Amino acid sequence: MNNTLCSAAWYDLNIDFGKQKLRHCCKQTFEEFPDKLENSFFDQSQHIQNVRNDLINGVENSTCDHCWSSYKKTGTAYRDFKNKWKSKDDIDPRVDSIEISLDNLCDMSCVYCDVMFSSRIASEFGLKAQVQTPNKEHMDKFIKYLETDPSIGDGFSLSFLGGEVTYSKNFFYFVDRMLESTLVNKRINFGFLTNANTTEKIMNKVKILLDKIPNNWNLSIGVSNEAMGEVAENVRHGLDFNRFDKNFKYYANHARVECITISPTPSIFTVKELPAFFEYCIDVIKNAQQKTRIAIFGNWVEWPEILDPKHLDKEYIQYVEQAIDIVENARSVFDDNNQISHTLRWLEMLKQRIGTGSLDREEIDKFITHKVEIKNNKNLEKLRTYI
């Protein structure tokens, strides 16, 4: 088996129009847009060709240092559940999964996020000009690439990330431009990731947009969260869990939504919460008015490094095992068996990770004190009780 080959370097395209950068896996380092942006850059730049060649030939290219470093430190890496190939004979050059970020406009300031991904965090630090502005010509060129490039087949996945996309005027612009293009004739697995904290006024705009989606586009909604109630509200600062519950149930019951994809990012504060949160999500899907499916694409916090679940005592593995049992017992509502296998692989990797570090309570205490001060919210003192 090739120990460096990873299908993400071919299948995946993560493009950030706000930062004017792209990469071919969410863990790779970014490549900056050239001064003159051509369609060939999106999937055939000299950089990504060099990366692919190295991965084929057993060379640990530095753009993938996130995984090489993780293997050395913990014995596991994101590649373990992302890679779909075993040898170069498996290579398929088509682009299968595209994730688009447009800006960092966000209504929340999660304790594990930063100014590059949340304009609210930027405002907490008094940074006035931190909302990113994408170039509309770049967006239009990319839409033309999606229409015409042979590497883009029928039935590819296209997802929008934030910030918080429902607050982004660039998101609505981009989708409207797609709807004006020949992409309306393609089969697309279309979706966006939301914190489900959207106010009623903005949700009305979202509802209008969902009604415009062509029938040949499969619609899925990604929902980011990993905890319940007050725990979620403190870790994901700015969240109103009652509003989250209302919006989550709206998406789950929307006639066009085929799948809700849960995107948990557990930290030292929320590993305990995974079983209760998974049960809640599965119950919502089971009670939906139509046959909505569920999928879980998880990650874990690695920055700030002190919040990485690897620092928890091994006794926390029991909560991951409970989450595994919940997934196993809810197979009937999952999108497909491959998705269940993916989720279980992720949870097994999380199990292996826990206990490979060491919790520095003094540093955690300093971290919480800083968050209380910068967010001006003494309720965050409760973070200390979650570990």
Side-chain angles (χ1 to χ4, degrees):
M1 181 182 293
N2 186 314
N3 291 323
T4 56
L5 185 66
C6 184
S7 58
W10 283 261
Y11 277 167
D12 287 18
L13 176 56
N14 303 136
I15 184 163
D16 193 321
F17 286 98
K19 300 184 183 76
Q20 298 188 19
K21 298 179 179 181
L22 67 71
R23 54 190 177 183
H24 291 265
C25 170
C26 65
K27 302 302 183 184
Q28 284 185 354
T29 55
F30 277 107
E31 179 181 7
E32 293 187 0
F33 285 9
D35 292 335
K36 185 179 181 181
L37 189 62
E38 302 291 348
N39 282 1
S40 59
F41 172 75
F42 295 123
D43 188 50
Q44 292 296 327
S45 72
Q46 188 60 55
H47 169 73
I48 191 56
Q49 290 186 59
N50 291 341
V51 171
R52 290 166 178 166
N53 187 61
D54 282 348
L55 297 181
I56 289 171
N57 291 294
V59 177
E60 294 184 356
N61 190 285
S62 61
T63 199
C64 303
D65 274 350
H66 180 278
C67 280
W68 315 140
S69 176
S70 185
Y71 277 131
K72 291 180 178 69
K73 292 178 181 177
T74 68
T76 65
Y78 185 69
R79 175 179 172 271
D80 289 334
F81 55 90
K82 182 64 175 177
N83 179 40
K84 299 178 182 179
W85 300 338
K86 294 181 179 180
S87 74
K88 63 181 181 181
D89 294 334
D90 298 323
I91 292 176
D92 180 348
R94 64 191 170 88
V95 177
D96 181 67
S97 177
I98 301 170
E99 292 184 345
I100 296 175
S101 297
L102 296 166
D103 53 51
N104 64 336
L105 190 65
C106 190
D107 59 322
M108 287 171 30
S109 60
C110 302
V111 297
Y112 51 77
C113 197
D114 66 14
V115 298
M116 296 301 293
F117 296 97
S118 170
S119 58
R120 180 166 173 175
I121 293 177
S123 68
E124 290 173 353
F125 283 91
L127 303 174
K128 301 299 182 182
Q130 285 295 314
V131 177
Q132 298 150 2
T133 304
N135 184 321
K136 287 187 177 180
E137 290 184 8
H138 290 168
M139 291 190 282
D140 291 342
K141 186 173 285 290
F142 187 70
I143 289 172
K144 183 61 67 175
Y145 161 76
L146 294 178
E147 288 184 284
T148 61
D149 197 276
S151 68
I152 303 296
D154 207 28
F156 66 94
S157 295
L158 182 67
S159 301
F160 291 84
L161 312 179
E164 169 52 36
V165 297
T166 61
Y167 284 96
S168 171
K169 65 181 181 181
N170 297 306
F171 168 63
F172 291 95
Y173 170 84
F174 197 107
V175 178
D176 282 341
R177 290 290 292 111
M178 289 179 65
L179 294 173
E180 294 167 0
S181 75
T182 60
L183 292 174
V184 295
N185 300 318
K186 283 196 172 188
R187 286 191 309 112
I188 299 176
N189 296 312
F190 176 88
F192 59 86
L193 180 66
T194 176
N195 58 30
N197 195 45
T198 313
T199 62
E200 184 174 359
K201 179 180 178 181
I202 301 298
M203 277 299 293
N204 288 333
K205 290 179 61 179
V206 175
K207 292 173 183 179
I208 292 171
L209 180 69
L210 295 182
D211 288 341
K212 296 180 182 178
I213 300 301
N215 289 332
N216 51 300
W217 291 10
N218 296 326
L219 179 59
S220 65
I221 307 295
V223 177
S224 60
N225 196 356
E226 58 279 328
M228 299 291 293
E230 187 181 59
V231 177
E233 290 176 342
N234 286 331
V235 173
R236 301 173 62 81
H237 188 247
L239 177 68
D240 179 331
F241 194 83
N242 288 331
R243 187 159 64 222
F244 171 91
D245 178 65
K246 179 180 178 181
N247 290 337
F248 182 60
K249 289 174 179 175
Y250 168 79
Y251 289 129
N253 285 279
H254 192 283
R256 284 295 314 281
V257 175
E258 297 184 14
C259 182
I260 298 288
T261 300
I262 309 301
S263 296
T265 311
S267 67
I268 60 172
F269 301 125
T270 53
V271 167
K272 275 186 179 180
E273 288 284 305
L274 287 178
F277 182 67
F278 281 13
E279 279 193 334
Y280 160 79
C281 293
I282 289 168
D283 283 346
V284 170
I285 297 302
K286 284 181 176 179
N287 291 317
Q289 293 177 1
Q290 76 278 343
K291 292 184 178 180
T292 311
R293 316 301 286 173
I294 193 170
I296 300 176
F297 279 90
N299 206 334
W300 48 71
V301 172
E302 294 183 81
W303 186 93
E305 196 270 344
I306 57 173
L307 302 188
D308 191 323
K310 71 181 182 182
H311 297 306
L312 292 171
D313 188 87
K314 285 186 177 292
E315 69 178 40
Y316 280 80
I317 289 175
Q318 66 179 300
Y319 302 107
V320 183
E321 291 175 337
Q322 291 171 25
I324 289 173
D325 289 341
I326 290 167
V327 171
E328 289 278 17
N329 292 325
R331 286 179 173 268
S332 62
V333 297
F334 269 78
D335 196 29
D336 56 46
N337 286 330
N338 288 333
Q339 163 49 216
I340 294 171
S341 297
H342 180 94
T343 301
L344 294 176
R345 283 199 305 275
W346 165 65
L347 289 169
E348 286 295 335
M349 293 301 102
L350 181 58
K351 271 180 62 177
Q352 292 178 33
R353 192 174 190 85
I354 291 172
T356 61
S358 179
L359 196 66
D360 188 332
R361 290 192 174 273
E362 184 177 346
E363 288 301 312
I364 293 294
D365 190 66
K366 291 178 183 177
F367 174 86
I368 294 172
T369 297
H370 173 69
K371 292 299 180 183
V372 169
E373 292 173 354
I374 199 73
K375 298 180 188 299
N376 193 26
N377 185 350
K378 290 189 175 181
N379 206 44
L380 297 186
E381 300 276 5
K382 293 181 179 179
L383 290 171
R384 294 184 174 91
T385 68
Y386 302 157
I387 50 176

